[in-house]
Amino acid sequence: MEGKRNKKKIIGIILALAIVALAAVIVKILFFSENKEAQEKEDAMNAAASTEQYEEQTEGSETFVIFGVDSRSGDLGKGTRSDSIMVANVDHETKEIKVASIYRDTYVDIDGHGLDKITHAHAYGGPVFAMDTVNRNFDLNIEKYITVNFGNVAEVIDDIGGIELDITSEELRYINKYIDEINKVENTNSSHISNTGTQKVDGVQAVAYSRIRYTAGGDYKRAERQRTVLLKMFEAAKQQNTVKLLGIAKDMMDKIGTNYSSGEVIEILSYLAKYNMEETKGFPNKLWGGTIEGTWYAVPVTLESNAQALHNYLFNDEKYEPSDKVKEISEEIKKVASTPNEELE
């Protein structure tokens, strides 16, 4: 009898200890969760405060390049061509952002590879090499880059609630094929677009729109669509609160290739919240479009004058004088093709 009482006593003690331990675990979890939530709020507030500090800049400007790749493997480095190249200049004095597309087929000098399509530079040597190629041919001094996969662009667009696009009847003929392709690759289920006109689209639909290249204008029109998507993303981002934008930035940091720090990404987001991007342009704005040894190129006519036009557009520098290197490359290109047959504004 005494043994049974002792056994019950031991079991009771064990149960009591288990209950205490469980209670301690629950308290710890709740305490950790509350502290984590409080810490996240504090971090967001600190980041927001930092953002406000960034927004107070009133002098100077900065330029960076955005490479858009279409990598099914998620590779953002060497071996992947840049289907989209955009140079962005941020003017802190005027609070204006200007974006210039450089057409992927633009005929330029790639160090060690001779005259070739600028899209190949990213494949030859990755984003830094591609950035240096842009600098080499257009007399720029860009030090920062961002490489994004088009699939990740779709995620961002979804995170900001979609964007509005004006779909033409010609674009409607092709867009659903691209939607199907992206759905298959990304395992998404975006619906087809059935009507023309201005409408809200999700990320997959927006990326599909930016890939269309078989309408009038070909690749030039596609570059324009890409700039349109970027512009619409800026507009939609302005409607988001700072904490949400910071969350998007945090989620995207491990999905993009960049030599920006996470703090600098926050600084860029501050531009979205305050600055204007009212104008975008494509370059070369004068070109010879045709085949050279069986391959189609967009040949600047001339590279020298296009470099001048780019500096005038991005920096309002009407007195810019191209470097000897750009003049030298321009003369080499002239030997290949020198008659413009298309002028794009």
Side-chain angles (χ1 to χ4, degrees):
M1 193 76 174
E2 184 68 25
K4 287 184 178 180
R5 282 197 297 268
N6 288 337
K7 189 175 181 180
K8 288 182 178 179
K9 185 175 181 181
I10 291 170
I11 292 173
I13 292 171
I14 292 173
L15 287 173
L17 289 173
I19 291 170
V20 171
L22 180 60
V25 171
I26 293 172
V27 170
K28 185 176 181 180
I29 290 173
L30 291 175
F31 179 78
F32 175 77
S33 298
E34 289 174 357
N35 276 335
K36 184 180 179 182
E37 184 178 354
Q39 185 63 49
E40 287 177 346
K41 288 181 179 179
E42 182 179 349
D43 289 345
M45 290 176 66
N46 289 337
S50 299
T51 302
E52 288 300 321
Q53 180 181 344
Y54 292 134
E55 290 179 350
E56 292 175 0
Q57 294 186 61
T58 58
E59 296 181 350
S61 64
E62 62 182 284
T63 309
F64 59 93
V65 61
I66 304 170
F67 297 110
V69 302
D70 196 1
S71 172
R72 296 189 178 189
S73 64
D75 186 6
L76 302 178
K78 183 178 179 180
T80 305
R81 289 178 297 182
S82 52
D83 285 341
S84 174
I85 303 170
M86 299 186 189
V87 178
N89 183 63
V90 180
D91 190 319
H92 295 296
E93 183 175 351
T94 63
K95 302 294 185 288
E96 184 180 19
I97 301 173
K98 290 183 178 180
V99 175
S101 290
I102 299 177
Y103 302 125
R104 64 190 298 276
D105 294 328
T106 301
Y107 201 50
V108 298
D109 181 68
I110 301 177
D111 193 18
H113 299 272
L115 297 176
D116 201 349
K117 294 184 179 185
I118 198 169
T119 183
H120 292 159
H122 198 283
Y124 290 145
V128 173
F129 185 71
M131 177 176 67
D132 291 343
T133 301
V134 173
N135 288 337
R136 176 185 182 85
N137 288 272
F138 292 96
D139 272 350
L140 298 172
N141 189 30
I142 303 171
E143 297 180 348
K144 296 292 186 179
Y145 70 86
I146 300 173
T147 300
V148 299
N149 196 341
F150 285 119
N152 294 335
V153 171
E155 291 180 33
V156 174
I157 291 173
D158 286 338
D159 287 340
I160 59 179
I163 61 175
E164 285 198 346
L165 293 175
D166 185 9
I167 310 295
T168 68
S169 57
E170 192 178 16
E171 290 162 345
L172 188 61
R173 290 176 54 196
Y174 298 100
I175 193 168
N176 290 321
K177 182 190 74 170
Y178 288 103
I179 290 174
D180 289 340
E181 288 179 1
I182 299 170
N183 279 336
K184 184 177 180 180
V185 173
E186 301 294 337
N187 196 28
T188 50
N189 59 354
S190 246
S191 60
H192 281 185
I193 292 176
S194 55
N195 298 311
T196 59
T198 302
Q199 55 200 281
K200 177 70 72 72
V201 300
D202 64 21
V204 168
Q205 293 167 336
V207 171
Y209 169 84
S210 71
R211 286 181 174 173
I212 298 171
R213 63 183 302 184
Y214 297 110
T215 61
D219 196 57
Y220 314 130
K221 188 64 178 180
R222 181 173 71 162
E224 181 183 317
R225 291 188 188 96
Q226 291 167 351
R227 299 196 307 273
T228 297
V229 168
L230 183 63
L231 178 60
K232 295 297 183 179
M233 288 174 67
F234 269 74
E235 292 175 355
K238 284 185 176 184
Q239 308 305 315
Q240 312 301 315
N241 61 55
T242 303
V243 174
K244 184 168 183 178
L245 287 177
L246 294 175
I248 294 172
K250 182 180 178 182
D251 290 342
M252 289 301 297
M253 279 305 295
D254 61 346
K255 299 177 183 177
I256 63 175
T258 183
N259 56 355
Y260 274 120
S261 68
S262 56
E264 288 171 323
V265 171
I266 293 173
E267 181 176 359
I268 292 174
L269 288 176
S270 75
Y271 308 150
L272 303 185
K274 187 172 181 179
Y275 293 6
N276 295 316
M277 188 176 74
E278 298 178 350
E279 185 181 18
T280 65
K281 281 191 175 182
F283 288 85
N285 66 341
K286 290 185 180 179
L287 58 86
W288 178 91
T291 58
I292 301 173
E293 296 182 355
T295 301
W296 197 95
Y297 294 96
V299 183
V301 181
T302 61
L303 180 65
E304 181 179 344
S305 63
N306 271 281
Q308 289 174 320
L310 182 64
H311 278 252
N312 187 11
Y313 164 64
L314 286 177
F315 314 117
N316 298 319
D317 185 359
E318 297 180 358
K319 298 181 179 180
Y320 158 75
E321 177 66 24
S323 67
D324 290 341
K325 185 61 182 177
V326 166
K327 291 179 180 178
E328 177 186 330
I329 297 172
S330 189
E331 288 302 314
E332 287 299 313
I333 293 175
K334 278 183 183 180
K335 296 175 184 178
V336 178
S338 60
T339 305
N341 59 18
E342 296 192 54
E343 182 171 344
L344 307 172
E345 293 298 337

